[in-house]
Amino acid sequence: MSFRMGVMTLALVLAVMAVLLSPASSCSCFYRHPQQHVCEADFVVFARVRKVTHTPDGLTAYKVKVKRILKASEKVQLILQKGLIYTIPGTCAMELESRTSQVITGNVQGGKPWTNLCHFAKPWRSLSSKMKKGFRLLYERGCDCPIMSCAFWEDCPKASFMCAWETSNEENDCQGRHAVCLRGQDGTCDWLGGRLYRECMKPRRKQLDNEITVANNKQDNNINNKINTIPRRRRPLRFGYKRPRLHKLGQPRKGRPYIQHVVNEKPFGPK
């Protein structure tokens, strides 16, 4: 129970820090799964970026045409109707490609929609089929299942109330591109993927199986070596005492007269 509470507390802290990250904050942000971006954002839009512009109050904004609102409250939808998404200039500014349809996430502060490098913004054409389905509907359905990145864990923690993001620090992020974390009918959270996900995870699982086999063989060898070094126990005595060893030929036993058979000797007495 304490481990579960610890993991849930850590996930809650990460979520709160991501939500409270203001546009003026530095770009020290956590690497998050696309599903986490959707669950923690105030808005998710599929929009075409037209150009970057500067507002009269000195702010930098992107002029966009919102094609579809994937996530937003009614109040946020009214704000997005102006067709401007703000970002602060500097190292944390989000650089959006002009004349490109993109999925953009962000938060609303001061009555304005903001996005920065800590949010998600990628061209629609670069997303996998599972990511497209996730942004349309599936990601938001799985918001009650926390996702725990294993990038800083030696052994990835496993629990039924969350999804362990094992491929978060790998170049081929199978769970990031081809899986969604959803709660099943039994109440447990697990990754939902298709054929591409299984094919992507196959080399990784094969490598893990080989590592487990090598570790088991090494453990078996160590056990066998320990067994061989254990001295053998003597067979218990049948009569409760040590029986004397047989004497060597030609040597008398202790406590017994020595009798030697003489061959080819003359018999005693008269003929």
Side-chain angles (χ1 to χ4, degrees):
M1 180 63 69
S2 59
F3 173 77
R4 176 175 179 178
M5 292 298 297
V7 174
M8 293 183 67
T9 302
L10 179 59
L12 180 61
V13 170
L14 298 181
V16 171
M17 291 180 66
V19 171
L20 296 182
L21 183 66
S22 63
S25 302
S26 63
C27 288
S28 179
C29 45
F30 297 96
Y31 183 58
R32 292 175 289 173
H33 191 275
Q35 180 170 328
Q36 292 175 293
H37 281 283
V38 172
C39 297
E40 299 168 5
D42 293 331
F43 67 88
V44 181
V45 295
F46 174 48
R48 181 176 178 83
V49 181
R50 292 179 174 177
K51 63 178 181 178
V52 60
T53 183
H54 300 280
T55 61
D57 51 359
L59 298 177
T60 302
Y62 285 97
K63 194 171 185 61
V64 298
K65 179 182 179 181
V66 178
K67 295 183 176 180
R68 183 176 179 182
I69 297 178
L70 303 174
K71 177 188 176 182
S73 63
E74 294 182 1
K75 183 178 179 180
V76 175
Q77 291 182 21
L78 294 176
I79 296 175
L80 292 172
Q81 288 181 357
K82 298 179 181 179
L84 292 175
I85 297 180
Y86 294 84
T87 186
I88 57 174
T91 58
C92 204
M94 176 70 78
E95 297 182 1
L96 303 178
E97 298 182 23
S98 300
R99 299 178 181 179
T100 305
S101 298
Q102 303 189 34
V103 174
I104 306 171
T105 68
N107 295 106
V108 175
Q109 293 185 3
K112 294 181 175 60
W114 292 87
T115 187
N116 53 44
L117 285 180
C118 293
H119 294 114
F120 186 95
K122 288 186 179 181
W124 182 261
R125 63 175 180 270
S126 66
L127 305 181
S128 65
S129 58
K130 183 62 70 175
M131 293 175 71
K132 292 178 180 179
K133 293 179 181 178
F135 279 109
R136 290 192 186 103
L137 182 62
L138 294 180
Y139 285 155
E140 196 170 358
R141 283 186 176 180
C143 288
D144 59 338
C145 284
I147 297 177
M148 177 63 68
S149 175
C150 299
F152 306 103
W153 294 80
E154 182 176 356
D155 295 324
C156 193
K158 302 292 180 63
S160 60
F161 61 89
M162 71 172 189
C163 289
W165 189 8
E166 301 174 290
T167 61
S168 58
N169 59 340
E170 298 180 5
E171 183 178 358
N172 192 12
D173 187 2
C174 303
Q175 293 168 335
R177 289 188 56 81
H178 305 296
V180 181
C181 180
L182 295 177
R183 189 177 298 276
Q185 295 181 355
D186 57 351
T188 61
C189 299
D190 200 0
W191 293 107
L192 174 66
R195 178 181 57 84
L196 294 178
Y197 174 66
R198 292 190 295 270
E199 292 179 356
C200 184
M201 292 291 288
K202 188 180 297 183
R204 188 177 188 277
R205 287 174 177 168
K206 185 177 181 180
Q207 180 181 357
L208 292 177
D209 292 340
N210 292 336
E211 293 176 357
I212 293 174
T213 302
V214 171
N216 291 338
N217 292 337
K218 185 177 180 180
Q219 184 178 5
D220 293 341
N221 292 334
N222 293 336
I223 294 175
N224 293 333
N225 293 335
K226 290 182 179 179
I227 293 176
N228 294 332
T229 57
I230 298 176
R232 293 185 177 182
R233 298 183 61 182
R234 293 184 177 273
R235 187 175 179 181
L237 299 176
R238 181 179 178 184
F239 301 100
Y241 61 90
K242 186 175 180 181
R243 301 180 65 182
R245 298 178 62 183
L246 296 176
H247 69 286
K248 295 182 179 180
L249 184 63
Q251 296 182 359
R253 295 182 182 179
K254 292 183 179 180
R256 294 189 179 184
Y258 176 61
I259 301 175
Q260 182 177 5
H261 297 280
V262 181
V263 184
N264 297 329
E265 289 288 342
K266 293 181 179 182
F268 291 98
K271 295 182 178 179

